[in-house]
Amino acid sequence: MSTTDLAAPMPGGSHAAPAPAPAHTVEVRDVHKRFGPSQILNGLTVDFKDNAITTVLGPSGTGKSVLLKHIVGLLEPDQGEIRVFGQNIWQVSEIERYELRKRFGVLFQDGALFGSMNIYDNVAFPLRKHTDKSEREIREIVMDNLREVGLEAAIHKAPNEISGGMRKRAGFARALVLKPDVVLFDEPDSGLDPVRTKLLSQLISEVHAEHGGTYIVITHDIPTARTVSDYVAVIWKGKMVHYGDADGAFNSTDPFVRQFLAGAADGPLGMD
Ligand SMILES: Nc1ncnc2c1ncn2[C@@H]1O[C@H](COP(=O)(O)OP(=O)(O)O)[C@@H](O)[C@H]1O
Ligand SMILES: [Mg+2]
């Protein structure tokens, strides 16, 4: 199946007139999720701005990765809805959900590369799996993306032969090869030193400026948020407590937002 086919409307929706275009590509509505006794998401609602980079900030263990896994359909909410491209992803068939997921690029925390494949094959993998492109076409796309992230010289290396920062960039290139409408990053900065974090943040901004799309960047790193954000979302205690443009967030007078974005010890956010 080609990427053009992937952009076609999904079957099985409205039988009459086509559904109106959704207001946002990614909408999270009143999502609740509990693991055992712990209520992790507790009525979380957010509409991610299209064609912009939103960073999702919040303390460790607050449910940021759990939110990302809901958005990509790896976790099902106990209550509430995840709507992508205007469809409730748990009201479509498994096959349709799989098709929707192909329109997402995801960069997991560790890059999630296949250890047994070199960088070239890792980046080519989604194209070989999900498209019927020839190896020649694949090579062109893979090399374009690797060049974009500065890894064209590392194509023959195994993931364990390159640095953590390079692995993240390779994961980023792989997340981009199907030309996704939505790209999600789970702590792209984790495990990187401040200089590499800054370089990766700049790369995310540059690639977004070049290709557009709805980017959702989960992080607890304030400098990353300052570099990449068009919009900032703050999660606390299972709810989205703030969503707004980056300037507004960094100049907020809300005590929690202020404390969190300034990394201050004094304020409503305690150790609990
Ligand atoms: N599959 C799971 N089963 C049980 N508990 C989980 C699962 N996934 C996450 N949790 C718990 O949910 C909480 C939030 O996790 P997470 O979303 O990973 O936090 P973070 O904001 O740091 O990304 C943590 O306490 C974590 O242990
Ligand atoms: Mg996490």
Side-chain angles (χ1 to χ4, degrees), residues 218-235:
I218 287 176
T219 182
H220 58 236
D221 186 66
I222 310 299
T224 297
R226 283 191 178 273
T227 304
V228 306
S229 305
D230 297 311
Y231 293 89
V232 173
V234 181
I235 301 189

Side-chain angles (χ1 to χ4, degrees), residues 171-191:
F172 189 18
R174 189 177 62 184
L176 292 173
V177 287
L178 292 177
K179 302 202 185 312
D181 302 295
V182 179
V183 186
L184 300 112
F185 303 80
D186 196 357
E187 306 219 355
D189 36 49
S190 72

Side-chain angles (χ1 to χ4, degrees), residues 52-82:
I53 304 181
T54 296
T55 49
V56 177
L57 287 156
S60 290
T62 205
K64 299 183 299 297
S65 296
V66 168
L67 171 64
L68 181 137
K69 286 177 187 159
H70 277 87
I71 294 170
V72 299
L74 293 173
L75 285 174
E76 184 173 3
D78 298 334
Q79 190 187 317
E81 290 181 8
I82 307 289

